[in-house]
Amino acid sequence: QAAVAPHTAVQPVALRFSDARPPVSAAAAYIGDMNLIESLWAIVRARGLTVTVKRLPVRPVEGLDRREVSELVRRDIAAALGVPQGL
């Protein structure tokens, strides 16, 4: 909503975490009832964790609501990570 209200474009970024268990690591997953401290602790404990950062094309938001922007950006990131649609 912070980008939608002032019509500020959104910069999507895809992050892929990898460790000794290819192709991706679950160490950085923020799942279910996990809190921030638990998530950070899992990241700190992970051995050989690396992150690949991919900046994606900027998305204009004018005329879209926050849910539409969220879905567009989610699709962009999923495509960049090679995640099949619908997941």
Side-chain angles (χ1 to χ4, degrees):
Q1 187 62 40
V4 173
H7 306 294
T8 302
V10 174
Q11 174 67 69
V13 177
L15 304 175
R16 180 179 304 278
F17 293 89
S18 303
D19 60 17
R21 297 166 296 181
V24 297
S25 173
Y30 197 80
I31 301 170
D33 292 333
M34 180 180 274
N35 64 42
L36 180 60
I37 299 301
E38 291 168 329
S39 177
L40 291 173
W41 184 243
I43 292 168
V44 168
R45 288 184 24 231
R47 293 202 181 275
L49 187 65
T50 60
V51 63
T52 303
V53 179
K54 184 174 184 180
R55 193 176 80 183
L56 305 175
V58 172
R59 279 285 189 176
V61 301
E62 192 162 348
L64 301 174
D65 66 32
R66 65 185 173 91
R67 287 184 178 87
E68 292 168 322
V69 172
S70 175
E71 181 58 21
L72 285 172
V73 171
R74 186 201 65 75
R75 287 183 193 164
D76 290 346
I77 293 169
L81 296 174
V83 176
Q85 287 192 17
L87 295 181

